[in-house]
Amino acid sequence: RRDFINTNALNYVSECILSGWVSSAGKFVNQFEDSICRYTGSKYAIAVSNGTVALRLALLIIGVKREEEVILPPLSFVATANAISHLGAIPHFVDIEKERLGLCPLSLENRLKEIAILKEDKIYNKFTGRRIAAIVPVHVFGIPSKIIEIKKISEKWNIPLVEDAAEALGSWETFEDKFKHCGLFGDVSTISFNGNKIISTGGGGMLITNNPDIEKKARHLSTTAKVNHPWEF
């Protein structure tokens, strides 16, 4: 339960309803995306219906396919694993570290040394034969995971990095003597606006990225893959 007393929530909802734009378009969606870009420092933000959808879309765009493996920590809301399973992929759990409760870089490196093999510029699990398609660190409770070390490992092994920043709006990590918002270290990341998050839209989720190709594909797929045409309806 959230307390909306002494907020502009009712005024905004009323204005939205009266405008007739109550779905995936309209000025409020655009303003929200722009605000997230300004706050986080990301170049692009794409609003979607919820955080799970955002993560599923992010994984799809970076190339996760059915019967491939995605590495993630076991300490997270089940939606992280669900998004992987929705694509027919297999969650591959690697342990957390005790300081920040995020994916442990040491455990990740040791696990990859144990199971990973390079074939045709792709990393495979030599025991299962499945490609390791992505690494998904989670910033648990908004605490930044050891994302800099994790990023170095993902680059070393050439495995895409998708950050689950569902709870991490307003969380920053020091990088090269500057603060960098969580979610801007990987190829793409996701934020949730569920009822228990820092900002709530009821449900709601968002992808943020600095990659124009990812933004273009995410916006295309999240709006039912419509193409431009000469008629209005």
Side-chain angles (χ1 to χ4, degrees):
R1 183 182 180 276
R2 295 182 70 95
D3 187 356
F4 293 101
I5 296 174
N6 297 322
T7 73
N8 284 316
L10 183 58
N11 294 333
Y12 288 147
V13 170
S14 297
E15 184 180 344
C16 181
I17 291 172
L18 291 172
S19 75
W21 292 97
V22 294
S23 185
S24 59
K27 74 171 186 178
F28 281 112
V29 176
N30 297 333
Q31 289 174 356
F32 191 31
E33 292 175 342
D34 291 342
S35 295
I36 292 296
C37 285
R38 289 195 303 271
Y39 181 74
T40 63
S42 64
K43 292 182 180 179
Y44 310 105
I46 304 95
V48 292
S49 57
N50 60 60
T52 307
V53 165
L55 188 55
R56 180 193 181 281
L57 181 57
L59 292 168
L60 175 69
I61 288 170
I62 58 94
V64 175
K65 296 180 176 62
R66 181 173 293 276
E67 296 300 319
E68 294 183 334
E69 296 181 15
V70 176
I71 293 175
L72 72 159
L75 182 60
S76 179
F77 184 57
V78 69
T80 309
N82 282 348
I84 297 166
S85 297
H86 290 170
L87 292 173
I90 293 92
H92 184 132
F93 295 103
V94 172
D95 207 359
I96 64 170
E97 40 79 23
K98 63 182 180 181
E99 295 175 9
R100 303 189 182 187
L101 305 180
L103 180 65
C104 176
L106 181 60
S107 296
L108 175 61
E109 179 69 29
N110 289 339
R111 184 63 172 158
L112 288 171
K113 287 180 179 177
E114 177 187 359
I115 68 167
I117 184 171
L118 177 66
K119 292 193 298 183
E120 299 177 350
D121 296 325
K122 296 180 180 180
I123 302 298
Y124 288 82
N125 184 330
K126 62 184 178 183
F127 297 104
T128 65
R130 295 188 288 251
R131 185 171 81 97
I132 301 174
I135 299 171
V136 181
V138 181
H139 303 292
V140 180
F141 305 130
I143 304 170
S145 63
K146 294 186 176 181
I147 191 63
I148 296 172
E149 295 97 318
I150 294 170
K151 180 177 176 61
K152 290 178 181 177
I153 295 169
S154 75
E155 290 174 343
K156 173 184 175 181
W157 290 89
N158 194 29
I159 302 173
L161 185 64
V162 177
E163 293 175 72
D164 184 340
E167 301 177 328
L169 183 62
S171 297
W172 307 75
E173 179 61 281
T174 304
F175 178 69
E176 296 179 348
D177 297 325
K178 296 180 182 179
F179 286 115
K180 189 172 183 177
H181 197 278
C182 288
L184 297 180
F185 292 88
D187 300 280
V188 60
S189 72
T190 60
I191 302 172
S192 172
F193 303 107
N194 195 21
N196 64 332
K197 299 304 188 294
I198 299 296
I199 294 176
S200 174
T201 58
M206 193 168 286
L207 293 84
I208 61 173
T209 183
N210 288 327
N211 186 314
D213 293 329
I214 289 177
E215 185 271 342
K216 183 177 180 181
K217 192 168 185 179
R219 200 168 295 282
H220 179 63
L221 292 177
S222 67
T223 52
T224 64
K226 289 183 288 188
V227 295
N228 290 329
H229 46 69
W231 56 90
E232 185 172 359
F233 298 105

